[in-house]
Amino acid sequence: MPPSALPDGDPAPVDGRLPPAALAARDAGAISAYVHVPFCRVRCGYCDFNTYAPGELTGPAGSATAYGTAVEREIALAGEVLQDAGNLSLATVFVGGGTPTLLPSEQLTGIVRRLASQWQLEDDAEVTTEANPDSVTIDSLATLRAGGFTRVSFGMQSSVPHVLATLERTHGPANVAAAVAGARTAGLDVSLDLIYGTPGESIEDWRRSLEAAIALEPDHISAYALVVEAGTKLAAQVRRGLITMPDDDDEADKYELADELLTAAGYGWYEISNWARPGKECRHNLAYWRGADWWGFGPGAHSHVGGVRWWNVKHPGAYADRLVRGASPAAAREDLT
């Protein structure tokens, strides 16, 4: 099942260079980094992200070692393109996917070290990884914290077994509590991601999930409406009449319930789908919303510097091949007006 297509854009230079005006317009001294890890244990039926399950990638394209080497090459390229790497600092780093924690924790912390060697990591930098609740252990979380991570975002999605089954999630509700406890023991801030609008999910099911998330006392909670994306297994199930399309009014009711319960529990709404304890807003997400500069590393990752936005080729093999040849992995770009 192919992930969603890249947008159209103008041709990107083979060497990845940016226009002088973009370099002059970029944020002075600060940048964020996004790192895309395109591996998942299984592909959930609703997902159209640029991810690949075992068997979908063959040869070096599916190798964690080859992936890490390619990312390191892109980090070096970014240093050359931005020219004054010594004057830049990293305000936030976000490792997403996919399931980043399918990689060894030592490899994830190695990527952070490589970024920090290219640019100075600010003393209070926010360094986040996404994780599935069943893809971490107490030891792996401790390694992440010791290696510079400050925050972990768990894909909880629901606390109701039949909802998790419809979403084809691999974890059970008990995994979430164990993962949060492990993260807290390691000294990491915790975010939980929820999804509402799953076919068959009642309003009481959604209330149960919200209350379960709140009871775990995370620093941050995201609540996303389920979207049926073209080309996904979920879309095919809807087309064949096996499950029903999410209802807009039902999702609106669930959004209002989320805001009511999360606000009452002390979480402040600060962005469409995000609520946080005071001072625990995701600074990396805010950088996107505020039009700050960030470089996206990895297959299919998007970047923005000084009003120029670009995106990498999606297939891990094509991504690595370009970097081996000394070329930019950028597929196309656009100038923002």
Side-chain angles (χ1 to χ4, degrees):
M1 185 186 306
S4 57
L6 288 170
D8 295 326
D10 299 321
V14 172
D15 61 4
R17 69 184 182 278
L18 293 171
L23 292 174
R26 70 164 177 79
D27 292 341
I31 195 169
S32 290
Y34 172 75
V35 182
H36 186 72
V37 179
F39 308 121
C40 275
R41 185 171 289 121
V42 298
R43 177 184 287 280
C44 299
Y46 62 90
C47 179
D48 77 332
F49 292 172
N50 188 39
T51 64
Y52 304 84
E56 293 181 330
L57 295 172
T58 59
S63 162
T65 301
Y67 163 80
T69 300
V71 169
E72 289 195 0
R73 287 189 172 116
E74 190 181 3
I75 293 171
L77 172 70
E80 295 172 4
V81 169
L82 296 178
Q83 298 176 1
D84 55 350
N87 298 324
L88 281 175
S89 62
L90 278 173
T92 69
V93 178
F94 196 103
V95 185
T99 308
T101 43
L102 287 183
L103 298 181
S105 297
E106 293 80 6
Q107 187 169 1
L108 294 177
T109 57
I111 290 172
V112 172
R113 283 196 305 273
R114 181 67 185 87
L115 287 166
S117 70
Q118 186 70 61
W119 302 290
Q120 180 180 350
L121 198 64
E122 294 183 353
D123 290 341
D124 65 343
E126 176 192 88
V127 183
T128 303
T129 185
E130 293 181 330
N132 283 345
D134 57 355
S135 68
V136 296
T137 65
I138 291 177
D139 289 343
S140 71
L141 290 164
T143 299
L144 290 172
R145 182 68 186 99
F149 282 87
T150 64
R151 188 174 178 275
V152 61
S153 179
F154 289 117
M156 175 180 174
Q157 317 312 4
S158 176
S159 68
V160 180
H162 77 83
V163 175
L164 291 171
T166 299
L167 292 173
E168 298 185 306
R169 301 296 293 181
T170 58
H171 70 273
N175 294 111
V176 181
V180 170
R184 290 299 193 197
T185 298
L188 292 159
D189 285 349
V190 173
S191 178
L192 296 177
D193 286 358
L194 298 173
I195 291 178
Y196 58 90
T198 301
E201 178 192 60
S202 69
I203 192 73
E204 288 308 313
D205 287 336
W206 176 233
R207 180 186 293 274
R208 177 178 162 187
S209 292
L210 286 165
E211 291 175 344
I214 291 168
L216 293 173
E217 300 183 340
D219 304 286
H220 185 283
I221 294 178
S222 298
Y224 301 107
L226 180 67
V227 177
V228 179
E229 301 285 2
T232 61
K233 180 179 177 181
L234 181 64
Q237 291 172 320
V238 170
R239 187 172 60 251
R240 294 197 300 268
L242 300 177
I243 59 176
T244 58
M245 190 79 168
D247 178 77
D248 289 347
D249 289 336
D250 174 69
E251 290 192 330
D253 290 342
K254 289 171 178 173
Y255 183 87
E256 290 180 347
L257 180 60
D259 190 50
E260 175 188 337
L261 294 185
L262 293 170
T263 300
Y267 294 88
W269 177 82
Y270 74 96
E271 180 268 325
I272 294 173
S273 301
N274 290 307
W275 290 258
R277 298 285 190 194
K280 295 297 184 178
E281 297 82 2
C282 178
R283 289 162 49 201
H284 188 86
N285 281 354
L286 288 173
Y288 293 152
W289 280 91
R290 292 169 176 165
D293 293 333
W294 74 90
W295 192 296
F297 300 91
H302 290 230
S303 304
H304 169 263
V305 173
V308 177
R309 184 163 54 196
W310 70 94
W311 42 92
N312 288 345
V313 294
K314 301 192 77 165
H315 194 277
Y319 167 78
D321 181 63
R322 289 199 181 195
L323 288 159
V324 165
R325 292 186 283 108
S328 165
R333 74 184 192 188
E334 63 183 349
D335 295 333
L336 302 180
T337 62

